[in-house]
Amino acid sequence: MSSPAECRILVFASGNGSNFQAVVDALAAGNIPNARITRLIVNRGKAYATTRAEKAGIPWEYYNLISHGFQARGETDPEKMQEARNKYDAALAEKVLALDEKTERPHLIVLAGWMYIFGKHFLGPIAEKGIKVINLHPALPGKYDGTHAIDRAYADFQAGKLENNKTGIMVHYVIEAVDQGAPVLVREIECREGESLEQLEERIHSHEHSLIVEATAKIAGEIIASQQAQQ
């Protein structure tokens, strides 16, 4: 008899973990059916996301580029830094793939405020096993890739250069090119005259929780449908 269809989710977070909490709450409310978070991984020792995980009974692990010996503290040599990142990425992929294939290895990885850019040494092995990776980025597809996306959109709005006076947020698949993976869901947000950067940031962040939940539910549903089709 085949096992029931299920989407196992692994979450990566670096800080407060409010997006992680949004997914936890959605799962508890039944808004992401037949799915569960099997583990949280953080790369900052004081990430409040770990407290959220403990309250929800979700195992968590701290794994850091410097603290776990991949890169020397204060290292500035670009080649050594890249080599360290490659080894860290490979070790983290190995850690994920070592999880029990029937009970804990994820079908989906959600980057929920994960302040680190993965390269091919993580994404390659993960993709080979068919594991999907998604990320939330506060910009529209093809606009303001990378850091300070909201600041850059706001500056363009102030200068009269923002297309249709709109920015937004998206959840996208993660590929090597930063923030350039195919979008899963997109939400446009119109900039307003007289609004401060802080007010725009607050409005954008207010949409993030619902979008990451909707995107996680969408992909989890597709994964479960695929499993059911194979049974």
Side-chain angles (χ1 to χ4, degrees):
M1 183 177 174
S2 58
S3 57
E6 174 188 56
C7 177
R8 295 188 296 271
I9 301 167
L10 189 153
V11 178
F12 285 84
S14 295
N16 181 273
S18 61
N19 286 329
F20 166 61
Q21 186 69 57
V23 177
V24 169
D25 292 345
L27 285 162
N31 295 331
I32 309 177
N34 304 314
R36 63 186 173 94
I37 296 173
T38 59
R39 183 172 293 259
L40 167 74
I41 294 178
V42 300
N43 63 347
R44 292 181 181 173
K46 294 182 179 179
Y48 185 70
T50 60
T51 301
R52 297 179 186 277
E54 286 176 0
K55 287 179 179 176
I58 296 169
W60 64 270
E61 185 172 355
Y62 167 61
Y63 203 60
N64 180 271
L65 179 70
I66 294 170
S67 299
H68 287 82
F70 294 94
Q71 181 178 302
R73 196 173 298 278
E75 181 62 73
T76 57
D77 181 272
E79 284 189 20
K80 288 183 179 177
M81 290 170 71
Q82 187 59 57
E83 184 183 356
R85 292 176 73 92
N86 292 347
K87 288 180 178 177
Y88 174 74
D89 281 16
L92 201 42
E94 191 175 323
K95 186 180 282 290
V96 170
L97 298 179
L99 296 170
D100 188 282
E101 195 173 351
K102 296 191 184 305
T103 61
E104 202 178 353
R105 185 192 288 179
H107 303 102
L108 172 63
I109 292 174
V110 177
L111 307 185
W114 175 249
M115 308 307 290
Y116 175 87
I117 297 171
F118 281 129
K120 64 183 178 182
H121 294 276
F122 177 83
L123 296 172
I126 294 297
E128 281 176 20
K129 293 297 182 181
I131 301 169
K132 299 177 185 297
V133 185
I134 61 171
N135 178 56
L136 188 145
H137 181 62
L140 297 174
K143 309 285 184 185
Y144 310 110
D145 301 332
T147 59
H148 308 298
I150 300 175
D151 306 53
R152 287 150 58 204
Y154 182 78
D156 279 353
F157 175 65
Q158 294 300 312
K161 296 189 294 184
L162 183 65
E163 189 177 345
N164 300 319
N165 291 332
K166 287 180 180 177
T167 184
I169 54 175
M170 66 169 170
V171 173
H172 64 93
Y173 289 106
V174 177
I175 60 173
E176 267 194 84
V178 177
D179 299 323
Q180 292 180 34
V184 178
L185 288 176
V186 176
R187 187 164 295 163
E188 289 188 339
I189 296 168
E190 191 162 357
C191 293
R192 298 171 179 168
E193 288 292 343
E195 186 174 51
S196 69
L197 173 59
E198 291 71 23
Q199 288 170 323
L200 176 61
E201 285 177 335
E202 192 174 322
R203 276 201 303 122
I204 288 174
H205 292 322
S206 73
H207 290 280
E208 289 181 352
H209 295 169
S210 61
L211 198 72
I212 200 164
V213 166
E214 288 171 31
T216 301
K218 181 177 188 290
I219 297 171
E222 292 169 359
I223 289 168
I224 290 162
S226 175
Q227 291 173 356
Q228 290 170 334
Q230 293 170 24
Q231 288 180 355

